[in-house]
């Protein structure tokens, strides 16, 4: 007769050299928290809680977690919450991206180290969902992702406002002298007024959509606003789902597959999602041993239409997408392109999910497959002498008039240099030039911040210029808009071609041919490479050293080399 694997508190006993004593001691300490023997005999669902006082997106998590517990208890298991690292996007220096991998390690190791049979991952802010999915994929314990949900937009002076596309729009107007200091202060208090993640199709909403498309979040749960009662019902259902996963044994490795990753890429392209999602999805897939090829991304993009009319590329907000039918409505339109046999945490295939999805959809928000907003996907990868390993452009958020052109490089050697000179009235720059930022990639010392959204030089902004070609090895907020080439690889800080660009060099961009090239003779580039020096000294201790020693380039998801599955 085969042995039954330990469940609940009997899992992963602390080693004192006497397993019976270990369980006795663990139960004794658990009883100090008021649990009954009956409860301690149940299977355990861990609840990974990423709330923090430095994370405004998650301020409603206490109520959300109570709903998860309700679902777990009703299904016959014991819910036990535990804290993890929390990554509040705007509260971290130099950037939350530096700490995504740290949070993923925390999530993975706490799932492994603590006695639980399944886990509900509660997160929302930009890097928390990728980190949780990365950690869960590595731990490979039954898991379900519960999203924070987006904020609700606010009515303000006759228009709807929502973080954070509108944040950037008003700041651009402020820089251009069209909104004064007192006005921007009033606007500041009216952009983010509820719990939840940014109200537009930024990185947080994109990753929520991807979590549902992957099958790791419950069907229909990605777009529910944070303050909607349905968000609490989704939390309760997620708790019940986790208990069912214990029974079936369905693990992330059976859900996150090459085909489900392709489904997620299709959804990413169709929703006009954040460029950050390429880095994050690549990292999640890498934990499952799946490689995302940027050239394959281009093939998918050429055959995947943009269907969702949300800011920053359209007019609506995430709450409108939920009311319009949610991510499920988008996937129904994409059915001919999707792998419908992929399994979901709901215990049924994606095809079965979509068969049961309501047929009604608001066509103002989600367009029909044959009448899309754009015939091609929102993202495109570029290759060439400036980016041998690739770069990313969000064409759905860019000005097509800038897609085929050659420009003169105006170079900023660092973020400090950019800050010091971008608004200098003497800066030699025109609207036809290409703004180039160096040394803002993963190993730059800045840890690849969302600095790729280079501001339009103030003298040009005040003259009415709204967009220019901007190029960097940095990232861009999913809430931003512009003709911005990002994730240039290899990055400047490791001596990639971007490091060798000088003021006045000519750069050729062709979105049509998927190319970005530096028009400088090879012998001149070789001279520059000999003179090149790394921009920063390597850190000598702590997490900064671990990060710098092991972080990979953008095309590998900026994960640590030792965390990817071979």
């Amino acid at each position: 007769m085969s042995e039954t694997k330990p469940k609940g508190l009997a899992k992963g006993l602390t080693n004192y050299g006497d397993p019976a004593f270990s369980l006795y001691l663990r139960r004794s300490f658990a009883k100090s928290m008021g649990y009954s023997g009956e409860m301690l005999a149940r299977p355990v669902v861990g609840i990974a809680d990423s709330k923090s006082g430095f994370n405004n997106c998650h301020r409603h998590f206490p109520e959300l977690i109570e709903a998860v517990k309700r679902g777990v208890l009703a299904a016959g298991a014991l819910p036990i919450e535990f804290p993890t690292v929390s990554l509040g996007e705007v509260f971290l220096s130099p950037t939350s991206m530096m700490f995504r991998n740290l949070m993923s390690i925390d999530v993975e190791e706490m799932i492994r180290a603590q006695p639980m049979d399944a886990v509900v991952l509660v997160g929302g802010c930009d890097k928390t969902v990728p980190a949780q999915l990365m950690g869960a994929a590595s731990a490979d314990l039954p898991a379900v992702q519960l999203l924070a949900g987006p904020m609700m937009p606010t009515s303000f002076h006759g228009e709807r406002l929502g973080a954070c596309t509108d944040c950037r729009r008003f700041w651009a107007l402020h820089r251009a002298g069209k909104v004064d200091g007192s006005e921007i202060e009033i606007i500041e208090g009216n952009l983010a007024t509820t719990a939840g993640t940014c109200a537009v199709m930024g990185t947080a909403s994109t990753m929520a959509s991807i979590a549902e498309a992957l099958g790791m979040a419950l069907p229909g749960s990605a777009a529910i606003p944070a303050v909607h009662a349905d968000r609490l019902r989704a939390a309760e259902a997620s708790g019940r789902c986790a208990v069912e996963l214990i029974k079936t044994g369905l693990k992330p490795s059976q859900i996150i597959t090459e085909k489900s990753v392709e489904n997620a890429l299709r959804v990413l392209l169709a929703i006009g999602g954040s460029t950050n999602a390429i880095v994050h999805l690549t990292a999640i897939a890498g934990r499952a041993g799946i490689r995302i090829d940027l050239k394959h991304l281009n093939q998918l993009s050429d055959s995947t239409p943009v269907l969702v009319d949300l800011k920053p590329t359209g007019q609506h907000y995430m709450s409108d997408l939920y009311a319009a039918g949610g991510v499920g409505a988008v996937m129904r339109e994409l059915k001919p392109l999707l792998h419908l046999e992929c399994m979901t945490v709901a215990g049924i295939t994606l095809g079965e999910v979509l068969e049961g999805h309501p047929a009604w959809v608001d066509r103002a928000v989600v367009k029909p497959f044959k009448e899309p907003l754009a015939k091609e996907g929102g993202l495109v990868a570029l290759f060439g002498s400036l980016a041998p390993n690739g770069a990313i452009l969000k064409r759905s958020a860019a000005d097509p008039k800038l897609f085929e052109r050659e420009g003169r490089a105006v170079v900023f050697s660092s973020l400090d240099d950019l800050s010091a000179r971008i608004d200098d009235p003497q800066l030699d720059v025109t609207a036809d030039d290409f703004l180039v930022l160096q040394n803002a990639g993963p190993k730059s010392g800045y840890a690849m911040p969302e600095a790729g959204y280079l501001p339009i030089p103030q003298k040009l902004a005040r003259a009415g210029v709204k967009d220019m070609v901007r190029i960097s090895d940095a990232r861009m907020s999913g809430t931003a808009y512009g003709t911005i080439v990002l994730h240039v690889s290899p990055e400047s800080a490791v001596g990639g071609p971007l490091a060798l660009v000088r003021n006045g060099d000519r750069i050729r961009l062709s979105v049509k041919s998927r190319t970005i090239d530096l028009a400088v003779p090879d012998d001149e580039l070789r001279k520059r490479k000999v003179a090149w020096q790394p921009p920063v000294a390597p850190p000598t201790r702590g997490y900064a050293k671990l990060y710098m020693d092991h972080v990979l380039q953008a095309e590998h998801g900026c994960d640590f080399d030792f965390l990817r599955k071979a």
Side-chain angles (χ1 to χ4, degrees):
M1 192 171 90
S2 60
E3 291 186 14
T4 303
K5 289 186 178 179
K7 294 280 187 183
L9 287 192
K11 285 189 69 175
L13 290 169
T14 309
N15 195 345
Y16 297 105
D18 181 345
F21 172 75
S22 296
L23 180 57
Y24 157 75
L25 191 62
R26 176 176 287 178
R27 289 173 64 88
S28 295
F29 278 69
K31 285 186 174 180
S32 76
M33 294 185 280
Y35 291 117
S36 67
E38 179 192 355
M39 280 293 175
L40 296 179
R42 291 184 175 193
V44 173
V45 172
I47 304 172
D49 179 8
S50 59
K51 72 173 176 293
S52 164
F54 290 106
N55 197 331
N56 62 290
C57 299
H58 296 182
R59 68 178 171 89
H60 59 309
F61 275 21
E63 186 179 29
L64 205 59
I65 287 170
E66 285 306 309
V68 176
K69 289 180 177 178
R70 189 166 66 233
V72 172
L73 287 166
L78 174 63
I80 300 181
E81 65 185 283
F82 63 95
T84 70
V85 167
S86 182
L87 303 178
E89 186 64 20
V90 301
F91 293 94
L92 288 160
S93 176
T95 170
S96 62
M97 186 64 183
M98 181 171 175
F99 303 102
R100 182 202 65 182
N101 296 347
L102 177 64
M103 182 177 178
S104 80
I105 293 171
D106 182 10
V107 170
E108 175 185 349
E109 298 304 335
M110 288 302 96
I111 290 173
R112 278 212 184 97
Q114 298 175 132
M116 64 190 78
D117 302 293
V119 62
V120 178
L121 310 160
V122 190
C125 195
D126 290 14
K127 308 306 177 296
T128 60
V129 170
Q132 288 177 329
L133 289 175
M134 289 161 70
S138 294
D140 205 27
L141 189 79
V144 56
Q145 180 78 56
L146 174 61
L147 293 319
M151 297 179 194
M152 293 292 287
T154 303
S155 294
F156 178 73
H157 289 189
E159 65 173 314
R160 296 170 84 201
L161 298 185
C164 194
T165 299
D166 294 323
C167 311
R168 298 177 187 282
R169 175 166 63 92
F170 279 106
W171 190 252
L173 291 172
H174 177 56
R175 283 177 50 78
K178 296 177 181 178
V179 172
D180 66 26
S182 60
E183 290 174 313
I184 200 70
E185 186 174 344
I186 294 169
I187 291 163
E188 178 184 298
N190 286 275
L191 287 163
T193 58
T194 77
T197 57
C198 286
V200 300
M201 190 54 79
T203 302
S205 295
T206 302
M207 291 311 303
S209 302
I210 281 177
E212 184 174 332
L214 273 175
M216 288 297 296
L218 280 177
S221 66
I224 306 169
V227 296
H228 199 297
D230 283 350
R231 176 56 60 192
L232 295 174
R233 283 185 274 270
E236 181 182 311
S238 295
R240 286 181 175 272
C241 175
V243 180
E244 190 61 30
L245 289 174
I246 296 172
K247 298 173 185 175
T248 63
L250 185 63
K251 297 178 180 179
S253 57
Q254 296 166 276
I255 296 172
I256 303 173
T257 64
E258 191 170 341
K259 288 182 178 180
S260 72
V261 168
E262 185 169 298
N263 286 344
L265 286 169
R266 292 279 193 191
V267 169
L268 166 62
L269 294 164
I271 62 178
S274 168
T275 51
N276 284 315
I278 289 292
V279 173
H280 297 322
L281 184 55
T282 298
I284 294 163
R287 296 294 184 93
I290 300 162
R291 179 173 175 265
I292 291 179
D293 186 333
L294 292 181
K295 291 183 179 177
H296 182 51
L297 171 70
N298 280 341
Q299 294 170 359
L300 297 177
S301 190
D302 288 343
S303 59
T304 308
V306 178
L307 301 176
V308 177
D309 186 26
L310 255 65
K311 290 188 176 189
T313 62
Q315 294 304 310
H316 297 94
Y317 294 88
M318 282 297 290
S319 55
D320 301 317
L321 177 60
Y322 180 57
V327 174
V330 181
M331 291 196 287
R332 275 176 63 93
E333 296 299 326
L334 294 175
K335 272 181 77 171
L337 303 178
L338 299 178
H339 300 287
L340 300 177
E341 71 275 22
C342 291
M343 187 58 67
T344 72
V345 289
I348 57 176
T349 66
L350 177 60
E352 291 170 317
V353 167
L354 297 182
E355 282 301 318
H357 193 274
W360 183 85
V361 58
D362 184 348
R363 291 302 184 193
V365 181
V366 180
K367 304 300 182 184
F369 184 82
K370 293 184 178 179
E371 298 174 31
L373 288 168
K375 292 181 179 179
E376 297 174 313
L379 303 179
V380 63
L382 307 172
F383 298 89
S385 62
L386 188 59
N389 296 344
I392 296 292
L393 171 72
K394 186 175 180 179
R395 60 180 166 189
S396 62
D399 184 351
K401 295 174 187 163
L402 301 176
F403 283 4
E404 309 295 324
R405 62 171 50 214
E406 180 177 312
R408 181 185 66 144
V410 176
V411 181
F412 300 92
S413 62
S414 67
L415 285 170
D416 293 335
D417 183 35
L418 174 70
S419 178
R421 295 195 297 119
I422 190 66
D423 290 333
D424 185 342
Q426 303 305 312
L427 180 67
D428 181 12
V429 64
T430 72
D432 293 326
D433 292 333
F434 289 9
L435 302 181
V436 176
L437 173 63
Q438 299 169 326
N439 298 312
K443 290 180 176 283
S444 65
Y446 298 110
M448 205 181 187
E450 291 184 340
Y453 183 69
L454 278 66
I456 302 295
Q458 196 167 74
K459 66 180 180 181
L460 297 182
R462 290 184 170 175
V465 176
K466 292 185 170 64
D467 196 9
M468 297 174 66
V469 175
R470 287 159 275 181
I471 303 167
S472 76
D473 46 14
R475 296 177 301 111
M476 175 176 79
S477 169
T479 64
Y481 184 97
T483 308
I484 301 173
V485 179
L486 303 152
H487 310 178
V488 170
S489 181
E491 64 172 306
S492 303
V494 298
L498 186 65
L500 309 181
V501 183
R502 299 292 179 264
N503 283 318
D505 288 349
R506 306 296 294 182
I507 297 174
R508 301 189 191 101
L509 169 66
S510 174
V511 176
K512 183 178 180 181
S513 63
R514 312 287 191 269
T515 55
I516 185 160
D517 291 299
L518 178 60
V520 174
D522 289 344
D523 58 344
E524 173 61 22
L525 291 177
R526 282 191 289 270
K527 290 177 186 176
R528 294 180 187 179
K529 186 63 181 283
V530 170
W532 175 81
Q533 294 289 328
V536 292
T540 58
R541 66 175 302 277
Y543 179 70
K545 176 174 172 51
L546 178 71
Y547 173 90
M548 194 69 86
D549 287 349
H550 294 284
V551 71
L552 296 166
Q553 293 292 289
E555 71 271 20
H556 300 302
C558 299
D559 201 0
F560 290 161
D561 50 15
F562 61 87
L563 292 176
R564 287 167 62 86
K565 187 175 181 180

